[in-house]
Amino acid sequence: MNFADSEVVASIMAEVGVETTNDEMEADIIFINTCSIRDNAEQKIRNRLKHLRHNKKQNKELTIGVLGCMAERLKKQLLEEEKLVDIVAGPDAYKELPVLLREVEDGHKAINVMLSLEETYAEIQPTRLNSNGVTAFISITRGCDNMCSFCVVPFTRGRERSRNPESIVAEAQDLVNKGYKEVTLLGQNVDSYLWYGGGARKDFDKLTADEQKSSISFANLLEMVAQVDPSLRVRFSTSHPKDIHDEVLYVMRKYDNVAKHIHLPAQSGNTRILEKMNRTYTREWYEMKYNRIKEILPECSVSCDIITGFCSETEEEHKDTLDLLRKCEYEFSYMYFYSERPGTLAARKYEDDVPEEVKKRRLTEVIEIQHEIAIKRNAAQVGKVHTVLIEMQSKKNANEWMGRNSQNIKVIFPKGNFKMGDYVDVKIERSTTTSLIGVAVL
Ligand code: SAH
Ligand code: SF4
């Protein structure tokens, strides 16, 4: 999401004649787009800022801006704590960056952390950064209206709003015209996408009958993007289990070019913890959703996010998470130990009482199980043929391509006469935890 936002920022800056460079010593302005989701994400930024002292010494005119969630969370405090920072801009203030830069030129520090109910940057054509020319992100919603008790996102990214579908389809079409072959529709909770002509999102049942009739749901939007071009593979992320409906699954089934992969974060396998996390579903509901996906789309892969050691989690409750992992056999998971975020519901209401070593040990157990599952799942693909979209040269071998199958698993195979952006049928010969290795079927 930050990557997509940086592309919006690059486009806004290009409008005022500022170009991007890959050489940071050459830069006159350095913007760091930040994440606040866990404490270590913020620590990384603090370290990064320490390194930038060197840049500032070399170039006294260098302007340093901190953008995104950490800017939003810390606001003025960031300017006080990190003396070399000149600009602090929240996720809804990117259009103001040229103005903020002028303030810095006039010798002031500059800050804008206003959140918006409307801003979606719909009309901005992102400048693709370090692009492979094959895959690209398209933001479809901003912010989040869920209040998961552990999560800082609603505070740093503001209220959920959906982007005008015409601008999304136009962006997809533009990418096709430029030769791109895959788009990923991005939002914190893509399935709650809702456009009814008025901009900011409202609950469906609060719309008038007319608005309901003409509104566009995520299933409608997915279909619109799928229809842009049959050779454009369409992905989306993230799906909140409470909001993914059968209609979305039917659209996925109807269109070959909609990738068969759903990122469906569970966070925990225990109902009491889920309730405390305010995820609004139970373990049983989650499994029901999972089963429904597999029923309608048997070949669909499902991936997950897990948090270990959330407030008051017992050993038994942790075991429920391990059990969920074994049951669902996710293709892959993003796994973390709980990191208390200031200002969140959990920070205010619950004690962060699971000792760090226990959180980490539980995380290791989760990772080990996920690892075993991935090995087993990938090994089961040996002998099968997968359609792979070539994304880049393999990092390990210049004679091999790396691409992904529809299920979002990496596939490596000899280059032959293929090129980036080709769809190739690859027969899998062996596998590792993270990838499938094979040869093209001619
Ligand atoms: N909107 C997505 C998640 C976005 S944040 C969703 O609801 O699924 C990405 C992931 O970071 C979350 O799924 C969660 O697993 C993790 N995360 C969020 N807050 C966290 C915290 N305080 N500590 C540890 N992990 C956290
Ligand atoms: Fe955070 Fe929950 Fe929103 Fe995801 S759905 S961004 S975890 S509040």
Side-chain angles (χ1 to χ4, degrees), residues 171-341:
E171 194 172 324
Q173 183 64 61
D174 179 60
L175 287 163
V176 169
N177 297 346
K178 290 178 174 147
Y180 283 79
K181 292 292 175 58
E182 183 183 288
V183 292
T184 303
L185 307 179
L186 286 181
Q188 291 297 347
N189 183 8
V190 284
D191 298 272
S192 70
Y193 177 92
L194 185 64
W195 179 261
Y196 66 98
R201 178 179 181 270
K202 278 202 268 179
D203 287 336
F204 191 75
D205 44 11
K206 289 192 194 133
L207 301 181
T208 63
D210 275 354
E211 281 175 337
Q212 282 192 1
K213 234 187 269 156
S214 62
S215 69
I216 291 176
S217 68
F218 179 61
N220 303 140
L221 178 75
L222 186 60
E223 180 150 30
M224 287 160 73
V225 180
Q227 285 172 349
V228 167
D229 191 300
S231 74
L232 183 72
R233 192 186 258 177
V234 186
R235 300 190 180 280
F236 56 88
S237 186
T238 297
S239 292
H240 193 297
K242 80 177 164 55
D243 290 313
I244 185 156
H245 296 300
D246 284 1
E247 288 71 35
V248 172
L249 306 178
Y250 291 133
V251 172
M252 290 177 76
R253 190 168 69 181
K254 185 170 163 194
Y255 292 90
D256 282 346
N257 60 327
V258 179
K260 304 298 179 277
H261 166 230
I262 296 177
H263 188 54
L264 194 75
Q267 313 297 0
S268 162
N270 175 271
T271 296
R272 189 187 74 88
I273 292 296
L274 286 170
E275 202 173 296
K276 234 177 147 140
M277 287 177 162
N278 205 18
R279 288 292 286 183
T280 70
Y281 51 83
T282 60
R283 157 79 182 250
E284 289 69 32
W285 164 275
Y286 181 89
E287 281 193 47
M288 185 268 288
K289 277 287 164 190
Y290 176 91
N291 292 335
R292 189 73 184 140
I293 293 169
K294 295 286 177 176
E295 197 181 314
I296 297 177
L297 298 162
E299 81 282 31
C300 186
S301 66
V302 180
S303 54
C304 188
D305 289 353
I306 294 289
I307 298 176
T308 65
F310 185 62
C311 312
S312 82
E313 184 189 66
T314 66
E315 215 50 43
E316 282 308 304
E317 289 165 339
H318 161 64
K319 288 203 175 110
D320 285 343
T321 300
L322 300 182
D323 180 63
L324 182 76
L325 286 168
R326 284 201 191 92
K327 255 194 173 148
C328 294
E329 298 202 322
Y330 300 106
E331 254 77 3
F332 56 92
S333 295
Y334 298 109
M335 300 157 282
Y336 320 93
F337 63 87
Y338 173 58
S339 161
E340 185 178 82
R341 307 311 292 129

